[in-house]
């Protein structure tokens, strides 16, 4: 780490009451604060694009499949995602969203036109998974739908009609069409994205052109349901493109916008991403450096938003994030199918702690992507299904959903490689509606165990239970023959003495504690 990066790391950490020291016994204090924000459950959201085997051959196997399904969607996937408490699901893209024409995906499945997926593998889709299929799936999952509308190649009318189709309860052309297609009641969809990556696959627009287009589309977005207000999301920046956020914040009136998005993937090098499973210690460190940039990106985008929106009425949502590697050997390069190791568990645990600790401004996030694509929580092969280490992290962290943040203070030891360093530990904590305390701790260090002593005296908690996700090697993963190599185990030896809870965090481990 050069001196400039060291300085920025110090500043960032100071902003979060964390500082860096080289030690392996770490004192943690929790600051119960009635004013602390709620951790929106939507931070734990997911993303399902028409890409590779996420929808077709993943979620959706068709009504005639021998795999047990509900209207064509695998029942085992529905059950696993419900267990994980999936709070929202973004669809149909990604880049695909700005090529998608929703009317091609309604009505009799046999007569639907085809669409060639121009971004992902050039495959021809038969449009058999459309609006009804997605929204019924969300009902089965008990999750909120988040629809990304087409701004890149669609029209204002097409967008407005989609909202009327899914949300209008009265008599109108689109509500009548919905009824003709077998759905009487509207679905009341609240979350709407206005395009995706408008600076890239969403139209290669400039920020100011997009801001104008956004204003036009947002003007005609009516909440037909009269029961829930629309939540309009502006297509956001990638990584550190702060100018994009600034132009949007400056040019979009507050009455037209609820959130600005941000996309950030943990990629070592876009031209040489490396294998998902066969990686060196150095590549692991580089991935974690990349993942840790999320802290900086959120802080800096949020600082710009603070300038234009000091009342904090507009949310920052990270609607695409996760690790991105080379596809598995022998698979279609356009399908983005990758395995998922303990490295991914580290990305997930650390990133979710970052989101929790920024709960004031970050109100939603969507891991890319749910099934068979990028940092998936579920992988399928024929009738087989496995849960990845990332799945287990999301499930362990579900205890934070809609709980009140408890700010944490600690001095993290360093995780050092190649003369550079990262904070070895990340921690977040919350208190839920039943006053239960949860603390999630991640040690990304690949060799050192760190002991953590948490001052719990003021919490009135004398006992903790916990679970731990850890494995023998960072490169370990679950596969179809060995699906349970990595699963959470109960954490033993949580000592509480004189108001101090002491826990050992082995190398590359994720721990979640629950106060009893
Ligand atoms: O998640 C894969 C792709 O990554 C999405 O389609 C796009 O929005 C992003 O570039």
């Amino acid at each position: 780490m050069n001196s400039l990066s060291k300085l920025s790391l110090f500043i960032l950490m100071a902003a979060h009451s964390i500082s860096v020291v080289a030690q392996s016994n770490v004192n943690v204090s929790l600051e119960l604060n009635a004013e602390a924000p709620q951790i929106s459950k939507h931070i734990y959201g997911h993303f399902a694009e028409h890409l590779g085997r996420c929808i077709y051959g993943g979620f959706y196997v068709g009504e005639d499949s021998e795999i047990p399904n509900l209207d064509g969607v695998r029942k085992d996937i529905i059950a696993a995602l419900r267990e994980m408490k999936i709070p929202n699901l973004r669809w149909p893209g990604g880049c695909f969203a700005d090529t998608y024409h929703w009317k091609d995906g309604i009505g009799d499945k046999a007569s639907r036109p085809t669409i060639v997926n121009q971004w992902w593998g050039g495959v021809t889709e038969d449009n058999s998974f459309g609006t009804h299929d997605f929204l019924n799936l969300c009902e089965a999952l008990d999750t909120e739908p988040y629809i990304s509308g087409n701004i890149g190649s669609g029209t204002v009318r097409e967008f407005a009609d989609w909202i009327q189709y899914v949300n209008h309860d009265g008599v109108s052309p689109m509500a009548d069409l919905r009824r003709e297609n077998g759905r009487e009641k509207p679905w009341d969809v609240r979350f709407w994205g206005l395009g995706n990556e408008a600076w890239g696959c969403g139209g290669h627009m400039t920020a100011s052109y997009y801001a104008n287009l956004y204003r036009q589309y947002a003007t005609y977005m009516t909440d037909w349901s009269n029961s829930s207000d629309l939540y309009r999301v502006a297509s956001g920046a990638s990584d550190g493109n702060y100018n994009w956020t600034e132009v949007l914040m400056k040019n979009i009136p507050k009455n037209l916008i609820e959130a600005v998005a941000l996309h950030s993937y943990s990629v070592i090098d876009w031209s040489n991403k490396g294998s998902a499973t066969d990686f060196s210690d150095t590549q692991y460190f580089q991935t974690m450096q990349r993942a840790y940039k999320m802290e900086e990106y959120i802080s800096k985008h949020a600082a710009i938003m603070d300038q234009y929106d000091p009342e904090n009425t507009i949310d920052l949502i990270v609607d695409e994030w996760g690790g991105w590697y080379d596809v598995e050997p022998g698979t279609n390069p356009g399908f983005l199918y990758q395995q998922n190791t303990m490295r991914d568990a580290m990305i997930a645990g650390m990133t979710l702690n970052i989101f929790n600790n920024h709960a004031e401004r970050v109100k939603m996030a969507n891991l890319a992507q749910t099934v068979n694509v990028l940092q998936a929580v579920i992988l399928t092969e024929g009738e087989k299904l496995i849960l990845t280490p990332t799945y287990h992290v999301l499930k362990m962290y579900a205890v934070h959903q809609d709980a009140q943040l408890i700010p944490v203070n600690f001095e993290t030891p360093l995780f050092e490689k190649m003369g550079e360093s990262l904070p070895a530990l990340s921690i977040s904590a919350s208190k839920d509606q039943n006053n239960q305390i949860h603390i999630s701790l991640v040690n990304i260090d690949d060799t050192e165990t760190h002991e953590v002593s948490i001052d719990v005296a003021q919490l009135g908690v004398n006992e903790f239970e916990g679970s731990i996700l850890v494995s023998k090697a960072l490169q370990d993963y679950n596969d179809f023959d060995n699906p349970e190599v990595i699963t959470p185990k109960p954490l033993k030896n949580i000592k509480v003495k004189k108001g101090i809870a002491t826990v050992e965090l082995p190398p590359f481990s994720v721990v979640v504690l629950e106060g009893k």
Side-chain angles (χ1 to χ4, degrees):
M1 187 184 265
N2 61 34
S3 48
L4 193 60
S5 337
K6 269 188 185 145
L7 179 66
S8 26
L9 176 63
F10 177 77
I11 292 167
L12 275 172
M13 302 193 96
H16 286 273
S17 307
I18 304 170
S19 56
V20 176
V21 290
Q23 65 173 49
S24 61
N25 186 291
V26 180
N27 294 320
V28 178
S29 64
L30 307 180
E31 300 186 346
L32 273 179
N33 172 359
E35 304 298 310
Q38 191 184 47
I39 297 171
S40 166
K41 68 176 178 180
H42 292 295
I43 282 176
Y44 292 84
H46 289 265
F47 172 34
E49 179 165 12
H50 287 230
L51 194 177
R53 293 189 301 115
C54 185
I55 296 292
Y56 296 109
F59 272 102
Y60 188 71
V61 288
E63 289 86 342
D64 299 331
S65 171
E66 287 183 358
I67 300 171
N69 66 80
L70 178 69
D71 300 328
V73 177
R74 290 179 71 131
K75 286 186 174 169
D76 51 2
I77 292 185
I78 294 174
L81 295 178
R82 284 183 70 105
E83 277 270 301
M84 197 187 65
K85 293 202 165 48
I86 179 173
N88 70 69
L89 186 59
R90 178 174 182 247
W91 173 86
C95 293
F96 181 80
D98 282 297
T99 66
Y100 184 64
H101 299 285
W102 68 271
K103 282 188 183 159
D104 294 346
I106 55 170
D108 177 29
K109 290 199 176 188
S111 356
R112 294 182 189 176
T114 56
I115 176 172
V116 178
N117 195 326
Q118 77 173 82
W119 295 112
W120 307 116
V123 288
T124 302
E125 303 185 5
D126 64 4
N127 262 313
S128 53
F129 189 91
T131 298
H132 289 248
D133 306 84
F134 172 65
L135 295 176
N136 293 342
L137 164 63
C138 288
E139 286 185 339
L141 290 171
D142 194 19
T143 200
E144 270 207 65
Y146 168 18
I147 294 183
S148 275
N150 180 346
I151 289 214
S153 68
T155 63
V156 177
R157 179 176 181 176
E158 182 183 9
F159 201 128
D161 277 355
W162 203 359
I163 303 173
Q164 189 182 74
Y165 187 86
V166 301
N167 279 2
H168 193 210
D169 204 6
V171 174
S172 67
M174 292 303 112
D176 292 348
L177 183 58
R178 182 190 70 236
R179 288 187 195 99
E180 270 172 41
N181 288 329
R183 171 79 185 198
E184 176 58 37
K185 282 280 149 206
W187 288 276
D188 278 354
V189 179
R190 194 160 60 107
F191 299 132
W192 292 88
L194 286 81
N196 169 77
E197 296 192 350
W199 40 265
C201 62
H204 289 110
M205 301 172 197
T206 61
S208 53
Y209 180 81
Y210 173 72
N212 278 337
L213 204 60
Y214 177 99
R215 292 162 63 127
Q216 184 188 356
Y217 272 76
T219 303
Y220 298 98
M221 291 175 69
T222 305
D223 177 16
W224 299 100
S225 72
N226 292 326
S227 62
S228 62
D229 291 334
L230 294 183
Y231 186 94
R232 293 157 296 184
V233 181
S235 167
S238 173
D239 298 334
N241 182 354
Y242 303 112
N243 178 58
W244 186 272
T245 301
E246 175 131 31
V247 172
L248 265 44
M249 292 300 295
K250 207 187 277 183
N251 292 297
I252 300 176
K254 283 191 184 160
N255 63 332
L256 291 180
I257 185 168
E258 280 69 41
V260 172
L262 167 68
H263 289 181
S264 183
Y265 285 98
S266 303
V267 189
I268 298 175
D269 173 356
W270 283 104
S271 56
N272 183 16
K273 299 194 266 316
S275 159
T277 53
D278 184 12
F279 54 89
S280 65
D281 294 357
T282 306
Q283 285 171 310
Y284 167 62
F285 186 78
Q286 289 170 328
T287 305
M288 297 317 294
Q289 279 183 314
R290 194 60 194 72
Y292 185 63
K293 291 289 269 181
M294 187 66 87
E295 173 64 48
E296 177 184 324
Y297 295 146
I298 290 178
S299 302
K300 292 187 176 170
H301 284 287
I304 292 166
M305 296 177 76
D306 288 347
Q307 276 175 40
Y308 294 92
D309 176 36
E311 311 82 16
N312 197 2
T313 58
I314 301 173
D315 302 336
L316 178 62
I317 74 166
V318 188
D319 58 9
E320 287 185 31
W321 67 276
W324 191 326
Y325 317 109
D326 290 338
V327 297
E328 291 306 312
T331 64
N332 187 328
F335 280 15
L336 310 187
Y337 175 73
Q338 63 190 40
Q339 249 296 355
N340 198 290
T341 66
M342 278 307 293
R343 170 170 63 171
D344 297 282
M346 295 297 100
I347 296 175
M350 184 177 80
T351 305
L352 292 169
N353 279 341
I354 292 172
F355 292 158
N356 285 348
N357 287 324
H358 282 279
E360 186 80 49
R361 187 65 86 167
V362 178
K363 301 290 181 190
M364 195 197 285
N366 302 79
L367 177 60
Q369 298 194 7
T370 324
V371 181
N372 293 332
V373 170
L374 298 178
Q375 192 175 340
V377 289
I378 290 173
L379 301 177
T380 65
E381 188 180 86
E383 77 288 352
K384 293 185 183 166
L385 170 149
I386 53 174
L387 306 175
T388 65
T390 301
Y391 173 93
H392 295 300
V393 175
L394 269 287
K395 191 173 164 198
M396 288 163 75
Y397 274 56
V399 290
H400 291 303
Q401 292 190 17
D402 282 345
Q404 187 179 34
L405 180 73
I406 304 178
V408 283
N409 264 307
F410 64 102
E411 299 188 335
T412 176
L414 294 173
F415 169 34
E416 293 177 296
K417 271 219 197 314
M418 312 175 309
E420 303 192 4
S421 60
L422 281 170
L425 302 186
S426 83
I427 306 176
S428 68
S430 67
K431 183 170 78 164
D432 71 14
Q433 280 92 344
N434 302 319
N435 289 327
Q436 273 202 308
I437 307 287
H438 295 101
I439 308 169
S440 45
L441 308 103
V442 183
N443 177 13
I444 63 167
D445 198 318
D446 61 352
T447 53
E448 297 292 315
T449 293
H450 294 290
E451 191 181 67
V452 172
S453 299
I454 311 166
D455 185 346
V456 293
Q458 56 153 342
L459 304 178
V461 181
N462 301 316
E463 220 184 298
F464 279 91
E465 279 181 3
S467 54
I468 180 164
L469 195 74
V470 68
S471 193
K472 290 200 184 87
L474 262 168
Q475 291 78 2
D476 286 348
Y477 54 88
N478 296 334
D479 67 20
F480 296 98
D481 296 322
N482 304 287
E484 301 207 338
V485 174
I486 303 169
T487 54
K489 307 276 179 323
L491 181 68
K492 307 209 176 86
N493 297 329
I494 312 170
K495 296 173 211 130
V496 186
K497 219 166 143 191
K498 295 190 180 159
I500 304 288
T502 307
V503 184
E504 277 205 347
L505 302 174
F508 51 92
S509 61
V510 179
V511 162
V512 175
L513 303 177
E514 177 170 276
K516 289 277 130 197

